Amino acid sequence: MLKQDSLKHLAIIMDGNGRWASQRNHRRLFGHVKGAKTAQSIIFKCLDLKIPYLSLFTLSTENTLRPESEIRDLTHLFEKIIFKHTKQFIEKDIQLHILGDISIFPSKLQTDLKAIQKKTKSNKGLNLIVALNYGGRQEIVNGAKKLVQKIQSGDLKINELTESQFGELLSSSQFPTPDLIIRTGGNLRLSNFYLWSSAYSEFYFTETLWPDFDEKCLDLALQKYSVTERKFGVL
Ligand code: IPE
Ligand code: MG
């Protein structure tokens, strides 16, 4: 039995869909479709494991600069996923949170994303945070804008600002900070994911491409996390 009580928030940088597809001489979309299936099985595994928060880095602010055809393919895929899984999320007690600026998407997708969040709002089994057009720097800049407003309106004095007060201005502050960040696909970087809240996260990197990341791969990462002593800089 894994010691996972301390794991409240697992975050995953799902990388490698494109390479997985090109290794099979397919278009990138083929990898994204398989990647979405992987995400589905990992979501249900996290629900079984009673991990309260799962974040999936689905599309970064930088990813949106990819060729229009890939963004269009991804947009259609997101629409299909919502259509296919809304009922299941409701039944399985999954609450969906979207993090990031969704105003770049077609209005149908924006409406559907808002609707599924509303429909799953009182679910308690798993908080699933899907980062879509999310960037850590963007989140910090948005927080800074709110801070300036607070100072200008006299709500807050500059010299009294604390880390936790600033942190509360960030959109991800509604969730616990990530305990463990897994990145698939072999690269050792954060790629503008949770820049502020990852200050004391543990990291697990694997060469496995996201479409191949199965429950056994997740078990390995959780096993490694469970034997890591976390001291948060204190002896
Ligand atoms: C991650 O896989 C999925 C998204 C960013 C949408 P990639 O598309 O980055 O796959 P590689 O890195 O090109 O293999
Ligand atoms: Mg990539």
Side-chain angles (χ1 to χ4, degrees):
M1 178 72 182
L2 292 170
K3 186 189 80 185
Q4 275 158 10
D5 294 356
S6 70
L7 182 54
K8 292 204 164 49
H9 186 174
L10 167 66
I12 308 183
I13 301 171
M14 309 177 291
D15 197 18
N17 293 352
R19 279 165 281 166
W20 188 89
S22 64
Q23 283 168 6
R24 288 157 181 80
N25 292 319
H26 278 287
R27 290 179 57 216
R28 298 177 60 81
L29 175 62
F30 186 65
H32 293 317
V33 171
K34 177 67 168 66
K37 289 194 180 119
T38 297
Q40 190 191 331
S41 72
I42 295 300
I43 291 167
F44 294 129
K45 174 82 177 172
C46 288
L47 187 68
D48 284 351
L49 291 171
K50 300 197 181 346
I51 295 171
Y53 291 83
L54 169 68
S55 285
L56 298 178
F57 199 14
T58 306
L59 197 75
S60 70
T61 45
E62 292 75 21
N63 291 154
T64 63
L65 305 172
R66 290 187 179 186
E68 224 181 291
S69 58
E70 183 166 353
I71 300 301
R72 207 173 29 240
D73 282 347
L74 284 168
T75 303
H76 288 148
L77 182 61
F78 299 150
E79 267 165 6
K80 271 194 199 156
I81 293 170
I82 297 175
F83 183 73
K84 202 169 144 203
H85 294 298
T86 299
K87 202 165 155 250
Q88 207 174 22
F89 280 8
I90 295 170
E91 282 168 9
K92 298 243 180 202
D93 207 20
I94 295 171
Q95 183 174 167
L96 186 81
H97 308 264
I98 302 291
L99 198 60
D101 175 14
I102 60 166
S103 68
I104 61 151
F105 295 119
S107 58
K108 160 97 175 75
L109 180 57
Q110 289 184 45
T111 311
D112 289 354
L113 287 168
K114 283 176 197 152
I116 186 170
Q117 287 181 90
K118 207 167 158 201
K119 282 181 192 156
T120 61
K121 172 162 123 246
S122 24
N123 289 357
K124 300 268 179 290
L126 170 73
N127 286 281
L128 173 64
I129 303 146
V130 175
L132 273 179
N133 189 24
Y134 167 84
R137 287 182 175 173
Q138 188 58 256
E139 182 184 24
I140 293 171
V141 168
N142 289 340
K145 286 181 187 166
K146 286 188 197 157
L147 176 67
V148 171
Q149 277 169 353
K150 271 184 174 279
I151 289 168
Q152 282 175 344
S153 68
D155 265 6
L156 194 79
K157 293 198 179 69
I158 288 185
N159 293 334
E160 289 170 6
L161 176 71
T162 63
E163 283 185 12
S164 83
Q165 279 171 330
F166 183 70
E168 277 166 25
L169 300 175
L170 304 183
S171 51
S172 63
S173 67
Q174 50 183 311
F175 314 119
T177 54
D179 299 296
L180 172 64
I181 298 181
I182 295 175
R183 182 179 184 131
T184 62
N187 289 311
L188 313 185
R189 55 179 177 246
L190 192 54
S191 296
N192 201 14
F193 197 25
Y194 284 144
L195 292 186
W196 176 272
S197 58
S198 64
Y200 266 96
S201 302
E202 301 297 327
F203 286 86
Y204 181 88
F205 296 102
T206 171
E207 291 288 328
T208 305
L209 302 175
W210 176 248
D212 289 328
F213 191 84
D214 59 14
E215 293 189 3
K216 274 200 198 112
C217 300
L218 179 65
D219 279 342
L220 266 179
L222 297 180
Q223 180 68 50
K224 173 107 192 294
Y225 172 80
S226 72
V227 295
T228 305
E229 196 186 354
R230 300 183 75 202
K231 298 194 280 194
F232 301 92
V234 185
L235 278 180

